[in-house]
Amino acid sequence: MTPEINLETREIRANPYPTYARLRKESPVVLYKHPIFGKTYYLTRYNDIVSSFTDPRLANDRRNVLEGKKDPMDRWWVPKLFRILQNNMLSKDAPDHRRLRDLVHKGFTPRRVEEMKQTVEKIVGELLDTAQKKPAVDLLADFALPLPLTVISEMMGVPDEDRLTFHRQMGGLLDNLTTPAGFLLQTPNAFNMMRFFRKLIRLRQTEPRDDLLTALVQAEEQGERLSEDELISMIFLLLLAGHETTVNLIGNGTLALLQHPEQLQKLRDNPELIGSAVEELLRYGNPVDQPSPRYAREDIQLEGHVIPKGATVMCLLASANRDESVFENADTLDITRKPNRHVAFGMGVHYCLGAPLARLEGTIALQHLVRRFPDMKLAVPAEQLRWRGSIGLRGLKALPLLLSPFGAPAAVREAA
């Protein structure tokens, strides 16, 4: 019988790695009665997770395994926005996935991202110039958030005045969708986001520009344009993936470096290590704890357990990235680690489109932060930091830092 566990407790959210290590050893497949997805089978070992990315027995689109049964997302209390969002390209199988991915991949190619390097450098410089005037900051609100939010908003053509509002709405959704009651409480927020997305679509229909949103509105694939629901789903996904994960990369990465001063000093002494450092911070900090769910097309035998046909399957990326059978001293931060076969961006056909952009933003942000603030330190004890409850993502609520020896901890303690 597959053992059960609750992975959403405050203790596990704060530090899931001891629990993940125990599960890899004792229960590589574990069952969790998720309040939204129902019975969910979690995979914990690296090799099982890597294999699952290309396993044809697993579907990304739940409707491909329902066989006439009612989709749980069609329950009366689920706001329409969430029923629309399940049609995003991460929740699609071939050929629909390829059709949608092909419409946006040109905006995220390594060459296109490299062309954005100067823009990212400029934004980083301006944000750190402002931060340098303060004795203390919340690194997330003052730096890690505005950087990727500005970049993806400019790529998508989101007006300046709408950006923070959108982020707050999205944050409310991500942090509160763990119960049916949470879904119901977010109904007004979901309604406002639907209105926001439709406003963006109408804006680019009447005022086209050289941005990704205009390209999506005007796109045709095999003679058919995206439906409005497909557009809404795509906009949400791109804006979410385009900034939330990078916020966590910068925030979690900075915290990891501060908690490992010898690695932080090594990076300061050897700035050419920034590339391998970012890869290690992706592995160690895990900005994405788990990707979109998948669904069993048939009964699957795995590690002595049976995952029944139609069941929901989740991959614990954060567990895979700390798997001691793959990574030597897996719980140790080593910015020189090679090889580093982490799965922070997933794998296979659903590999993260925004990986080149996230790497660019994380590299420039951390490189400049480390160089410009040699005396930065946590403004509160690490045990006072709080982690968000977002589905699938792993990130801090705030990261109060003293940027100089003369900072005032009391000023930022209130923000923690």
Side-chain angles (χ1 to χ4, degrees), residues 10-293:
R10 175 174 288 187
E11 293 75 19
I12 292 179
R13 292 296 300 179
N15 182 16
Y17 301 111
T19 299
Y20 290 170
R22 177 175 61 82
L23 292 176
R24 286 193 301 273
K25 182 179 180 180
E26 301 174 0
S27 308
V29 179
V30 64
L31 181 62
Y32 171 42
K33 292 183 179 178
H34 198 287
I36 302 301
F37 300 115
K39 285 187 176 181
T40 302
Y41 292 79
Y42 282 82
L43 310 186
T44 65
R45 291 179 179 172
Y46 181 94
N47 289 332
D48 292 335
I49 288 171
V50 167
S51 297
S52 75
F53 287 129
T54 55
D55 192 333
R57 297 174 299 175
L58 291 171
N60 281 72
D61 192 336
R62 184 198 294 263
R63 290 167 298 187
N64 287 337
V65 303
L66 288 175
E67 295 185 343
K69 297 179 182 178
K70 189 174 182 179
D71 190 334
M73 289 297 286
D74 289 333
R75 287 174 285 195
W76 67 268
W77 47 264
V78 178
K80 182 181 178 181
L81 174 63
F82 302 111
R83 294 197 292 272
I84 291 175
L85 294 184
Q86 73 171 335
N87 289 320
N88 71 72
M89 64 182 175
L90 294 183
S91 302
K92 292 287 189 180
D93 296 313
D96 291 333
H97 169 260
R98 175 52 58 187
R99 177 178 71 89
L100 295 173
R101 190 179 178 99
D102 284 348
L103 291 174
V104 294
H105 85 279
K106 293 180 181 178
F108 295 92
T109 61
R111 178 179 177 181
R112 182 68 179 269
V113 169
E114 182 63 24
E115 293 172 353
M116 299 175 62
K117 186 174 181 179
Q118 287 187 341
T119 298
V120 175
E121 294 266 9
K122 180 175 180 291
I123 296 170
V124 166
E126 291 172 349
L127 291 172
L128 292 183
D129 285 345
T130 300
Q132 199 162 18
K133 298 173 184 177
K134 306 176 183 180
V137 297
D138 172 5
L139 188 75
L140 300 189
D142 294 330
F143 182 57
L145 168 62
L147 168 60
L149 183 60
T150 300
V151 172
I152 193 62
S153 294
E154 290 186 358
M155 288 179 65
M156 293 291 293
V158 178
D160 292 353
E161 63 272 16
D162 291 325
R163 295 174 185 180
L164 284 178
T165 299
F166 166 76
H167 170 73
R168 286 193 291 269
Q169 291 173 340
M170 180 175 286
L173 294 178
L174 295 176
D175 291 347
N176 293 285
L177 299 183
T178 56
T179 65
F183 264 91
L184 287 174
L185 290 173
Q186 286 301 309
T187 299
N189 201 9
F191 175 79
N192 289 332
M193 288 193 71
M194 285 282 288
R195 186 168 58 183
F196 168 69
F197 291 142
R198 289 194 172 110
K199 169 189 169 184
L200 287 181
I201 293 169
R202 302 291 178 265
L203 184 64
R204 287 298 168 256
Q205 286 174 334
T206 58
E207 300 178 22
R209 295 184 181 178
D210 184 21
D211 56 42
L212 191 52
L213 180 54
T214 300
L216 289 174
V217 169
Q218 297 179 343
E220 291 197 15
E221 181 72 10
Q222 297 179 350
E224 295 184 6
R225 294 194 177 190
L226 290 171
S227 67
E228 183 172 88
D229 284 357
E230 285 179 322
L231 276 170
I232 289 172
S233 181
M234 185 73 80
I235 294 167
F236 180 89
L237 175 62
L238 292 175
L239 289 175
L240 166 65
H243 85 281
E244 285 281 358
T245 51
T246 306
V247 173
N248 295 344
L249 166 58
I250 297 171
N252 298 1
T254 300
L255 175 61
L257 289 171
L258 291 172
Q259 292 180 319
H260 297 81
E262 77 289 349
Q263 295 294 304
L264 177 56
Q265 191 58 48
K266 182 181 289 188
L267 182 56
R268 286 197 174 109
D269 294 340
N270 304 275
E272 70 278 6
L273 292 176
I274 186 62
S276 63
V278 167
E279 297 306 312
E280 177 67 348
L281 293 172
L282 283 163
R283 183 198 73 84
Y284 186 89
N286 293 293
V288 178
D289 185 40
Q290 50 197 269
S292 299

